[in-house]
Amino acid sequence: MRKNMPNQACVVLLPGLLCDAALWAQQVQALDPAHCVVPSYGELSSITGMAQHVLDTAPAEHLCVAGHSMGGRVALEMARLAPQRVCRLALLDTGMDPLAPGQAGEHERAKRMGLLQMAREHGMRAMGRQWAQGMVHASRWNTPLFENILDMIERQTPAIFAAQLEALLTRPDARELLAQLRCPTLLVCGRQDAWSPLSRHEEMHALVPGSRLAIVEDSGHMSPMEQPAAVSQALKEWMQP
């Protein structure tokens, strides 16, 4: 049986790697008068630790949880740890699998560690300028939106980056959990997301009973900022009892 959203529920909007409340600014405004909370993970270095921190500090018992990218993995872990508290779940531009074994996993680790080294040597913004090009639709390179993303990255520190990379490299396998979800679940993906591709979200959608998949046109990985109106509309529909 699916759970309706209790009156006392609040909306928890979980940012992804090196993101903060700026990622969700348009959605917070669009979802008004809902009570929206955008947590910070500090220097926590595990997905489980992040999820437990959000559960411990959330201002309500029943939560509508939306997570972007790494935040989607935190959202899934919250649903595993406290399914009775998560009454709705939205997963945006994210994934379900752990670090791949063998060469593929080592390649991911090396690539992420290379970015961390760049951040330590040249600063967060310089690292972000290279990394974020793969995060957005190519038409948004060197635009004010791109600079806003770099501003967000620059507000983080190499220590935070290192902790969040550790969390991602040790991320839990959420594949079995998806099939066990019984709360209303929305999956959202930018059509041109090269980091967390649409094919992955279609697979996740097939695993979650009764879930809905919303495709955001003309968007890369940063869909809440690239196409805020489309993402906000999908979340408004997800919030409907």
Side-chain angles (χ1 to χ4, degrees):
M1 181 180 296
R2 293 194 171 272
K3 305 171 189 173
N4 290 326
M5 183 179 64
N7 293 332
Q8 67 269 32
C10 74
V11 184
V12 178
L13 300 170
L14 298 167
L17 178 65
L18 298 180
C19 295
D20 58 23
L23 174 80
W24 295 109
Q26 295 296 315
Q27 286 71 46
V28 170
Q29 186 175 9
L31 293 174
D32 183 69
H35 178 39
C36 294
V37 178
V38 183
S40 171
Y41 312 118
E43 294 184 12
L44 293 169
S45 59
S46 75
I47 299 297
T48 301
M50 293 172 179
Q52 191 62 61
H53 169 70
V54 176
L55 288 166
D56 290 345
T57 58
E61 179 66 18
H62 296 98
L63 307 170
C64 300
V65 183
H68 174 261
S69 194
M70 181 184 75
R73 294 182 178 275
V74 176
L76 281 166
E77 187 67 359
M78 288 174 65
R80 186 188 71 80
L81 291 172
Q84 74 282 2
R85 294 187 62 189
V86 178
C87 58
R88 288 173 186 269
L89 191 64
L91 307 170
L92 293 81
D93 301 282
T94 190
M96 59 182 166
D97 293 318
L99 186 72
Q103 187 174 358
E106 288 307 310
H107 177 73
E108 179 183 337
R109 182 183 298 276
K111 189 174 180 179
R112 291 189 185 276
M113 290 299 103
L115 289 169
L116 177 59
Q117 188 65 24
M118 181 185 298
R120 287 170 169 163
E121 293 180 357
H122 302 288
M124 294 296 293
R125 193 178 192 92
M127 181 282 300
R129 189 171 295 281
Q130 174 174 315
W131 174 59
Q133 288 190 17
M135 297 288 126
V136 299
H137 193 286
S139 65
R140 297 186 178 92
W141 294 350
N142 302 316
T143 63
L145 172 64
F146 192 74
E147 294 302 315
N148 288 342
I149 293 171
L150 296 184
D151 290 344
M152 183 168 60
I153 292 171
E154 194 172 26
R155 287 193 289 271
Q156 314 304 315
T157 66
I160 289 173
F161 193 19
Q164 293 186 359
L165 288 179
E166 176 65 19
L168 284 169
L169 290 171
T170 58
R171 60 190 183 263
D173 187 343
R175 187 176 286 266
E176 289 188 9
L177 174 63
L178 288 169
Q180 298 168 10
L181 293 174
R182 293 298 180 265
C183 61
T185 301
L186 169 69
L187 294 110
V188 179
C189 183
R191 173 78 73 179
Q192 289 80 27
D193 188 339
W195 193 262
S196 299
L198 178 57
S199 59
R200 179 186 300 164
H201 292 76
E202 290 172 338
E203 186 178 2
M204 294 169 70
H205 171 48
L207 289 171
V208 182
S211 61
R212 175 177 170 243
L213 174 62
I215 301 171
V216 182
E217 302 296 341
D218 299 314
S219 179
H221 187 65
M222 302 295 287
S223 61
M225 296 179 78
E226 293 187 65
Q227 294 290 357
V231 171
S232 295
Q233 183 59 37
L235 291 177
K236 284 181 179 180
E237 294 174 5
W238 166 71
M239 289 283 291
Q240 294 302 310

